[in-house]
């Protein structure tokens, strides 16, 4: 299937182009537009972006693979990213990861079978004073010291119809 | 005590331009600075003793004076909002709650430098901050504070947000420029310095968010008044983060030069260690700064004094570790960070940090040997000074400080075959 920006994505793309003196500089934000529009950043999506910006595909691939926020594979509807850096580690980030593995029935790096949740570890998210913390898609959830605080975050996301298996 | 950055938290919707103007006296400084000679502004900034709050503490006025005056090329101001150093969470406060203070500072800085375009490079994860800064730019534009002929003068200025995409190393200023140009964030060799050959090959000044957010106060009150709030050669007040095993972690504001003990134990600040425990070590300003011992915490929090206790001021983000903290695990956690975040272009950094991580993980897991302890030191020595950017040095210095202060603990891990400290 030929990829093509939706009209909304096209609008974002055109606004981005105006900010820079050349198309190369528009690459990082344009890759985000592609990721949001196409769901993840497949090689096809990167080639499409290369075409739109008139850049060699190799340069786009090089950039697409350097940065961690570009998902080269599909991720779950909720991408749960736990900060594992020092301030969060000192305050129990590992315990938090463990609790989430149990809760979601997956290991770090995996996605639930129903495609709802992907669990990852990331480095410092600039919320060290409210550790431990995690990010789900665009939102930060901080001060996750107790099982209750974790439940409060996940309850609204764990829809009844799509109940993940508890443990393995 | 005077408050600069945390005052905004007293107001509802502090990010709104009307609140900023009416409650905080916002956007007064450009009315003054836009009629000043750029050289007079630089003098004022020099007098303020403002030192870069991105971690290196370079005097801001001096940095601005390095921009070549006779160059015909466009000039750029780039704001470093890539905050990602573990233990550092200060710029986020400004971006999220006081974005107009940053924009107000950018206006004077750009005018001084003769720049007509400014990019604010915000790390990709901070979506809320993006939204707030974009909104603030739109508001400032609608008032005629940005765009063509700002504040009724003949001076044009555009400020754009640029989004990072997840790479700590892009906080390093030349990696940040590469990233802004649409490339992988790999630091450049210096010289040439960005002030001469920077963004798109043009003269560029890169400053931290907090640095530029100090500029309105310097213009309004004068450089000397700003300097008076700090200590010798370190002007002004500063955001300090406290994380780790503090009784009251959080973001605090205090003068440059306040004693570290006051920040850790003071009633207005951290109020000591959680559950009344003892302090074992402190990372003074983000994870790259060497750990110091409780015996040294009477040090003044400024760029010069921290060097005297073999550490660095960094970003002012203190990380506290209590008496139940395993220092091998701390070192391993840090090494993991530096390994994951290495851009990979220098062998000593790419391979050395991986080595440190593996050896430290082994020692923690109980499979370390006495030879590993010597190896750790050796690897640290081989990274230091042999890399393009300071990331490798940071890894080496940070890990090295745990070896220096806590070697008996490392040896005991090897002897006993593992760790006896509680889980985290
Ligand atoms: C590995 C590395 C990461 C850095 N990360 C940041 C950062 O996230 N934010 C920042 O302002 N400066 C960071 N710096 C420092 C910048 O290179 C630069 O010195 C700073 O942005 C200059 O601004 P200032 O003079 O206002 O401090 C980093 C430096 C290194 C070596
Ligand atoms: S020291 Fe490390 S992060 Fe810096 S340029 Fe070299 S490999 Fe990259
Ligand atoms: S260490 Fe986790 S947010 Fe900074």
């Amino acid at each position: 299937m030929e990829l093509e920006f939706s009209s909304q994505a096209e609008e974002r793309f055109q606004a981005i182009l105006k900010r820079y003196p050349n198309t190369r500089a528009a690459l990082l934000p344009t890759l985000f537009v592609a990721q949001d529009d196409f769901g993840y950043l497949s090689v096809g999506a990167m080639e499409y972006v290369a075409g739109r910006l008139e850049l060699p595909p190799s340069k786009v691939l090089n950039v697409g693979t350097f940065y961690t926020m570009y998902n080269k594979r599909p991720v779950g509807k909720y991408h749960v990213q736990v900060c594992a850096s020092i301030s969060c580690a000192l305050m129990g980030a590992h315990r938090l990861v463990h609790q989430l593995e149990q809760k979601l029935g997956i290991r770090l790096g995996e996605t639930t079978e129903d495609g709802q949740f992907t669990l990852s570890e990331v480095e410092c998210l600039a919320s060290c004073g409210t550790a431990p913390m995690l990010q789900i898609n665009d939102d930060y959830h901080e001060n996750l010291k107790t099982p209750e605080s974790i439940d409060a975050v996940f309850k609204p996301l764990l829809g009844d119809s799509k109940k993940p298996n508890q443990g393995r | 005590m005077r408050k600069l950055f945390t005052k905004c938290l007293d107001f509802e919707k502090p990010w709104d331009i009307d609140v900023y103007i009416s409650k905080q006296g916002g956007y007064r400084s450009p009315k003054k600075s836009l009629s000043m000679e750029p050289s007079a502004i630089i003098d004022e900034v020099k007098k303020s003793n403002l030192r870069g709050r991105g971690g290196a503490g370079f005097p801001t006025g001096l940095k601005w004076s390095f921009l070549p005056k006779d160059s015909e090329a466009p000039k750029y101001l780039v704001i470093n909002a890539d905050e990602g150093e573990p233990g550092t969470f200060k710029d986020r406060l400004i971006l999220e709650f006081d974005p107009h203070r940053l924009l107000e500072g950018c206006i004077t800085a750009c005018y001084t430098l003769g720049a007509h375009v400014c990019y604010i490079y915000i790390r990709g994860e901070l979506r809320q901050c993006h939204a707030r800064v974009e909104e603030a730019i739109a508001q400032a534009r609608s008032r005629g504070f940005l765009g063509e002929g700002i504040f009724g003068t003949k001076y044009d200025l555009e400020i754009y947000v640029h989004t990072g995409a997840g790479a700590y190393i892009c906080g390093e200023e030349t990696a940040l420029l590469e990233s802004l140009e649409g490339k992988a964030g790999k630091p450049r060799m210096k010289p040439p310095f960005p002030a001469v050959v920077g963004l798109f090959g043009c003269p560029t000044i890169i400053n931290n968010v907090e640095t530029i957010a100090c500029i309105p106060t310097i213009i309004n009150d004068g450089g000397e008044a700003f300097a008076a709030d700090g200590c010798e050669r370190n002007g002004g007040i500063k955001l300090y983060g406290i994380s780790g095993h503090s009784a009251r972690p959080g973001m605090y504001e205090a003068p440059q030069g306040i004693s570290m003990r006051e920040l850790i134990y003071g009633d207005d600040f951290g109020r000591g260690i959680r559950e009344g425990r003892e302090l074992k070590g402190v990372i003074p300003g983000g994870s790259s700064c060497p750990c110091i011992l409780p015996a040294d915490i009477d040090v003044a929090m400024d760029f010069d004094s921290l060097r005297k206790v073999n550490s660095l001021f960094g970003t002012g983000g203190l990380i506290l570790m209590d008496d139940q903290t395993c220092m091998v695990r701390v070192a391993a956690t840090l090494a993991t960070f530096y390994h994951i975040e290495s851009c990979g272009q220098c062998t000593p950094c790419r391979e050395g940090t991986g080595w440190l991580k593996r050896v430290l993980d082994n020692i923690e897991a109980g499979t370390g040997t006495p030879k590993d302890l010597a190896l750790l030191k050796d690897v640290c020595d081989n990274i230091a000074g042999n890399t393009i950017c300071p990331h490798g040095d940071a890894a080496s210095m940070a890990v090295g400080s745990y070896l220096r202060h806590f070697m008996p603990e490392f040896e005991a891990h090897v002897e006993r075959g593992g760790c006896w400290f509680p889980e985290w």
Side-chain angles (χ1 to χ4, degrees), chain A residues 43-65:
Chain A
V43 172
M46 288 192 259
E47 282 169 349
Y48 173 74
V49 168
R52 295 302 307 271
L53 292 174
E54 296 174 14
L55 297 172
S58 62
K59 291 215 155 108
V60 177
L61 286 167
N62 188 14
V63 168
T65 49

Side-chain angles (χ1 to χ4, degrees), chain B residues 52-58 60 63 80 82-85 91 168-169 171-173 206-209 211 389-391:
Chain B
R53 268 79 193 276
F58 196 85
T60 307
K63 185 188 265 192
N80 191 339
D82 194 48
E83 185 157 81
E85 169 93 354
D91 298 336
Y168 163 77
I169 196 58
E172 194 282 332
E173 56 187 19
I206 300 135
N207 274 129
N208 173 258
V209 171
T211 309
C389 92
H391 182 81

Side-chain angles (χ1 to χ4, degrees), chain B residues 11 116 139 180 197 267 372:
Chain B
F11 312 117
H116 296 284
Q139 286 187 334
L180 238 171
V197 184
D267 271 349
D372 285 338

Side-chain angles (χ1 to χ4, degrees), chain B residues 169 187 341-346 349-350 387-392:
Chain B
I169 196 58
E341 299 298 344
S342 166
C343 85
Q345 65 177 332
C346 328
C349 170
R350 183 186 65 236
T387 58
I388 292 176
C389 92
H391 182 81

Side-chain angles (χ1 to χ4, degrees), chain A residues 5 14 17 26 36 50 71 76-78 80 122 134 153 155 165:
Chain A
F5 278 155
Q14 293 302 331
L17 286 179
D36 292 348
N71 300 316
K77 181 174 169 202
Y78 300 110
V80 181
V122 293
L134 53 77
V153 171
K155 207 161 190 185
N165 56 340

Side-chain angles (χ1 to χ4, degrees), chain B residues 258-307:
Chain B
I258 187 175
S259 100
M260 181 187 279
R261 180 183 298 280
E262 178 68 18
L263 284 178
I264 297 174
Y265 289 99
D267 271 349
D268 292 336
F269 304 103
R271 296 187 187 164
I273 311 306
R274 64 169 183 182
E275 295 159 27
R277 293 188 194 158
E278 295 284 312
L279 182 66
K280 183 169 177 180
V282 185
I283 304 176
S287 68
S288 303
C289 302
C291 177
I292 70 167
L293 295 174
D296 281 329
I297 66 168
D298 287 308
V299 63
M301 291 297 289
D302 66 66
F303 288 98
D304 307 308
S305 302
L306 260 309
R307 285 185 182 274

